[in-house]
Each structure stands twice: as structure tokens, then as C-alpha cells.
Amino acid sequence: MLRPCLPLLIFFAGVSSLGTLQAQTAAVSIPAWIEEGNCGPAPKFAATFNGKLAPVISQLGQGSDQVLLLVLDVTGDASLVDAAKQALVAQISKLPANAWVALLRDQDGLHVLADPGPDRQPLLDAIKGVASTGKPGLLETVTPALSLADDLIRKSAVRVSVLYITDSNIYNYREDYTNPVINESDPHDISRVFPDALIQDKISKLVEDIGSLEAPLFVLHLNYRADTLNQSYENGLLTLADATGGRGLLCRSVGEIPDKITEAFNRISSAWRLTLQVPPKSHNNAQIHLSAPCDGEDAKLSWRTRVRPKEG
């Protein structure tokens, strides 16, 4: 459930500095990064979509307007959550004025806690005030969160990312993903052979659901757990982020949290948004290839390699 996020769309649509609407016919936007190479402020990206030329009709890089949807999914250890809050406040305070941050929480649906604005103090106060209680909601809200980001991308010439900060434990979800053994006496019981089948099935469905949503997803998990089901869950979160071109990060100690949050913000801030013209009659989930010649050699790039064009 997504509530009450309509004001966010109205807000961004009304801010002239965020750019103009872009035509959405036969085009997709992907996130990309220049990992190595001196490409200057305006590299000449070239792309193919399933082997066919896909002209880059728009490119937005560092310094362009940016929107971050920050979603807190925190329910556990207060010491981990407090460390994350402090690191978030520090990183948000360093962002340029044209980086807009909205704060959301995902217990019992997706709620907006702080609207973006030029005065960041209400946002910082809201982060500090979030309580570490309730049930995790990441798996239930990640599609609505990415859908909101996708609406912003399709309406404005901005870079948009979604960042989840979570300490979620797969055993604490309202829905049971533990796949309990049905027949204790049967060694061939499928639930005994594949105890994480429900988790893998959920992740697979989510990857399919978000296939046409264009914003990159970043997930930072504050509390790595080593048991089998939580490892499967955490690997699933990494898979989700990777499917969007984003990144998943796992913290194995409280001391890692500030560095991991810095890494996430640096990655988000350095993203390019490339809008590609999709060749006619393209396969729905075609492979994207990207290149950029820099100083006579192709730069080392990373990008979202697959996206399903949205019809209409």
C-alpha cells in the first residue's frame, strides 16, 4: 500500500528546476556509472538494445538535479539503527542544493515522513525520530517505492534513486517465508529439501514485477545474519538491487555502517541517467550494451543491462 505519496508527485511536478517532461514513447532510461576513464563532463555514450543501435537521446550526470527516496525499514537493534541515523544525517547534510530527499517508512504500507524541500532540518529531525519497532516491510513495499520513483523519472528530467536502510530479519515478516517442513517423517518432503523456496519464489516475482521500472534500487542491510534462511533473504535483496542496476550492501558490524552508507551515497550521486531510444519491434527484455570512448579508449562502465520497455 502506498500512502500518502501523491504530494511528492505534485511537489516534483511543480518545481521548475527539476526539468521538463520528456516523451515516453519508445524510450527507456537506465542508470550508468563511469568506473574508470577520463571522460570529461559530457562523454559520448553509445548504446545497443539487443544488438540494434539505441541512440542516447538524453544524458544526465553528476551535478544535474537528483531525487532520492530514502526508505527506513528498521525494527531491531537500536545501536545499529542509531549508527545508521547518524551516518545518514552526515551524508544528507553534504548533498548539494539540487539534490532532493524524501523520507519514507514501510511498516504497514509506505508512508511519507518528510517531504523534500530546500530546508533539510525537518528531514533530519524526522530521521532522528524514527523508532526501531514493528515488522519489516521491504518485500511488500519495494515495488510501490520503485513505482513512485518511476513516475518521477517519467515526468521530469531528473536522476532518481531509491535507497532502503533495513535491518530486516526474514523470520519477523508478517508473511511466513520460512517454508516449514510439512512431513517430518518424509526425508523427500520438498520443504525439507528446499527450505528457502518461498524466499526465492518471492524474489523471482519481485524481479519480474520491477522489470519495467527504471529507477535504480540500493539496499543497505545493517545486520548481516549467517543462518541459512537469512542468507538466502539477504542474497535475494542483492539480486533485487542488481536487477535495477543499483547495489546491495551488507554490514557485518556496527563499525561498517558509516562507511557503507557513504559508499551508497557516493554511488547514488555519481550515477548517470541515460535515456535510450528503443529500436522498433525490440524484444521486451533485451540485452543493453553501453560504451563511451574517453581519451581514445573505451571507458570502464557499469550499467543496468536489462530493462523491459513499458507500453504506452
Side-chain angles (χ1 to χ4, degrees):
M1 186 182 299
L2 184 62
R3 49 179 175 168
C5 290
L6 182 59
L8 283 179
L9 293 174
I10 296 173
F11 176 85
F12 288 123
V15 177
S16 59
S17 64
L18 294 185
T20 57
L21 303 186
Q22 292 185 345
Q24 297 303 314
T25 56
V28 296
S29 289
I30 61 168
W33 287 265
I34 299 173
E35 306 291 1
E36 293 180 12
N38 182 18
C39 296
K44 295 182 179 180
F45 291 99
T48 60
F49 198 86
N50 206 26
K52 298 178 181 178
L53 180 65
V56 179
I57 57 178
S58 172
Q59 57 185 58
L60 301 173
Q62 277 184 293
S64 65
D65 295 320
Q66 185 168 39
V67 174
L68 173 61
L69 302 184
L70 173 61
V71 187
L72 296 187
D73 179 55
V74 291
T75 63
D77 189 330
S79 65
L80 301 180
V81 177
D82 287 344
K85 290 179 182 180
Q86 293 174 22
L88 287 170
V89 167
Q91 289 300 315
I92 290 171
S93 299
K94 297 176 184 177
L95 292 174
N98 65 340
W100 304 81
V101 182
L103 178 66
L104 303 96
R105 185 151 191 194
D106 66 357
Q107 275 77 28
D108 298 316
L110 202 57
H111 305 261
V112 177
L113 300 184
D115 290 318
D119 178 7
R120 290 202 176 116
Q121 195 56 51
L123 166 68
L124 302 181
D125 291 341
I127 290 172
K128 295 173 185 176
V130 170
S132 178
T133 59
K135 297 286 187 181
L138 187 154
L139 293 180
E140 284 72 37
T141 62
V142 67
T143 299
L146 286 169
S147 295
L148 174 60
D150 191 73
D151 286 339
L152 297 175
I153 283 177
R154 295 174 190 275
K155 288 179 169 63
S156 300
V158 291
R159 297 176 295 150
V160 186
S161 300
V162 176
L163 170 60
Y164 270 80
I165 305 295
T166 182
D167 59 4
S168 48
N169 185 329
I170 193 63
Y171 291 96
N172 287 347
Y173 273 89
R174 295 188 188 280
E175 185 173 346
D176 186 2
Y177 293 104
T178 61
N179 202 24
V181 175
I182 298 171
N183 187 348
E184 293 283 356
S185 63
D186 181 4
H188 303 294
D189 182 348
I190 196 70
S191 58
R192 184 192 299 276
V193 178
F194 301 106
D196 60 347
L198 294 179
I199 300 170
Q200 292 189 20
D201 182 61
K202 180 66 174 181
I203 296 298
S204 295
K205 289 179 179 177
L206 287 174
V207 168
E208 175 64 22
D209 289 344
I210 65 178
S212 64
L213 304 178
E214 296 178 353
L217 169 67
F218 296 82
V219 180
L220 193 153
H221 201 294
L222 304 174
N223 193 0
Y224 171 81
R225 297 178 177 89
D227 65 273
T228 300
L229 290 187
N230 270 302
Q231 280 196 331
S232 179
Y233 168 60
E234 291 156 6
N235 288 336
L237 298 183
L238 302 185
T239 297
L240 275 178
D242 184 66
T244 68
R247 177 171 290 181
L249 300 166
L250 301 176
C251 299
R252 287 172 167 79
S253 70
V254 66
E256 289 187 352
I257 291 174
D259 288 343
K260 294 292 186 181
I261 287 181
T262 298
E263 181 181 344
F265 271 74
N266 287 343
R267 189 73 174 172
I268 289 167
S269 295
S270 63
W272 286 79
R273 172 187 165 184
L274 306 180
T275 302
L276 315 179
Q277 182 177 321
V278 178
K281 299 181 180 179
S282 294
H283 189 276
N284 273 349
N285 198 23
Q287 184 81 22
I288 296 170
H289 184 267
L290 197 64
S291 63
C294 298
D295 289 341
E297 297 182 358
D298 278 348
K300 181 180 178 182
L301 308 176
S302 59
W303 64 92
R304 180 173 179 173
T305 59
R306 293 182 183 276
V307 62
R308 187 172 67 246
K310 183 179 288 187
E311 297 180 1

